[in-house]
């Protein structure tokens, strides 16, 4: 069998698509998500740990590392919760039922406010039990509790942000979330450095600066993403109104789709 015959039999049926998304579009959706995952899961944690290492404190570096694992776990919960928004919003968007897709975002937002607020509150209240669960030495507990409670504030904004980008992903807008992550990463690196070491009128908070940078990062990302959804002219057709008469009426559908 020659090369042309192999191409016609195996390659051409894959490349030539008559229905569904083209490979160009699939890659257009994939690449921004790949960049986002790279920034979110790897680069920032490595640079943050590098900054903390200059404080020359094993206990502080251990605290940042141990709490980061817990935050990564919570982040996966937030991502999982956004899956229902992606599916439900994408379904309505595909049917061109744009106002219903917009109502999915409203329900997702308020659902996330409740769940994210609850998890953040549990982190604040349960900071000491978490220390005991991870067998953190007694001399590190107070430092870890303070650090974890600071990061709990950022966790709340993290949940809200994932509700926003879940809607954007559902309407096939993968590029905007990448831009927000890049923006947030730049903000995090700048604030992280300044708050750890001090500078530009900001006092040196030491390793607590990492937690402060986490709060500022997700606060900026959430506000930027929310303003984009609320005021971008291309998204006006979704008629998004956060203050609706029934803000949670699609919440159960979102949770059912997300929990698996």
């Amino acid at each position: 069998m020659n090369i042309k015959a192999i191409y016609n039999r195996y390659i051409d049926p894959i490349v030539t698509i008559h229905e569904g998304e083209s490979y160009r579009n699939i890659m257009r959706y994939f690449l921004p998500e790949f960049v986002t995952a790279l920034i979110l899961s790897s680069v920032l944690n490595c640079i943050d740990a590098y900054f903390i290492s200059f404080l020359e404190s094993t206990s502080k570096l251990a605290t940042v590392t141990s709490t980061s694992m817990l935050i990564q776990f919570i982040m996966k919960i937030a991502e999982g919760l956004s899956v229902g928004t992606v599916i439900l919003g994408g379904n309505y968007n595909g049917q061109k039922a744009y106002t219903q897709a917009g109502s999915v975002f409203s329900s997702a937002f308020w659902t996330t406010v409740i769940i994210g607020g609850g998890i953040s509150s549990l982190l604040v209240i349960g900071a000491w039990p978490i220390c005991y669960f991870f067998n953190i030495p007694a001399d590190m507990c107070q430092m870890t509790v303070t650090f974890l409670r600071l990061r709990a504030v950022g966790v709340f904004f993290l949940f809200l942000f994932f509700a926003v980008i879940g809607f954007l992903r559902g309407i096939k807008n993968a590029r905007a979330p990448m831009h927000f992550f890049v923006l947030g990463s730049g903000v995090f690196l700048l604030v992280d450095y300044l708050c750890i070491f001090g500078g530009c009128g900001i006092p040196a908070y030491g390793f607590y600066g990492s937690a402060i940078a986490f709060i500022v990062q997700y606060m900026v990302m959430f506000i930027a993403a929310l303003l984009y959804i609320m005021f971008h002219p291309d998204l006006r057709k979704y008629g998004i109104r956060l203050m609706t008469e029934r803000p949670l009426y699609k919440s159960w559908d979102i949770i059912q789709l997300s929990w698996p």
Side-chain angles (χ1 to χ4, degrees), residues 115-168:
I115 296 177
I119 291 177
S120 298
S121 300
L122 286 175
L123 284 177
V124 173
I125 297 170
W128 282 102
I130 289 172
C131 286
Y132 294 132
F133 177 79
F134 281 107
N135 292 317
I136 294 174
D139 59 334
M140 291 173 54
C141 279
Q142 182 58 62
M143 179 174 60
T144 303
V145 166
T146 303
F147 187 81
L148 191 58
R149 285 174 174 172
L150 281 172
R151 296 201 76 168
V153 179
V155 164
F156 177 68
F157 288 104
L158 180 152
F159 269 85
L160 296 181
F161 175 69
F162 273 101
V164 177
I165 65 170
F167 172 74
L168 290 173

Side-chain angles (χ1 to χ4, degrees), residues 171-191:
I171 62 174
K172 296 185 177 181
N173 187 342
R175 189 172 295 273
M178 180 189 70
H179 291 159
F180 297 132
F181 273 112
V182 171
L183 168 66
S185 299
V187 169
F188 176 82
L189 293 176
L190 176 62
V191 177

Side-chain angles (χ1 to χ4, degrees), residues 48-49 58-70 147 151:
D48 184 44
T58 303
S59 60
K60 291 178 180 179
L61 185 60
T63 298
V64 171
T65 304
S66 60
T67 55
S68 292
M69 291 189 295
L70 177 61
F147 187 81
R151 296 201 76 168

Side-chain angles (χ1 to χ4, degrees), residues 13 18 20 55 66 81 84 88 94 101 139 145 184 193 221 238 240 251 256:
H18 301 287
L55 300 177
S66 60
L81 184 62
L88 201 58
D139 59 334
V145 166
Y193 182 87
M221 290 163 65
Y238 294 98
I240 295 173
S251 296
Q256 281 187 311

Side-chain angles (χ1 to χ4, degrees), residues 234-248:
D234 292 343
L235 303 182
R236 289 176 182 170
K237 61 186 178 182
Y238 294 98
I240 295 173
R241 293 179 300 167
L242 293 181
M243 304 304 295
T244 60
E245 294 181 1
R246 299 167 60 197
L248 297 174

Side-chain angles (χ1 to χ4, degrees), residues 88-102 171 237-238:
L88 201 58
N91 180 51
Y92 285 127
N93 187 68
Q95 297 174 19
K96 297 184 179 180
Y98 299 123
T99 55
Q100 288 181 286
I171 62 174
K237 61 186 178 182
Y238 294 98

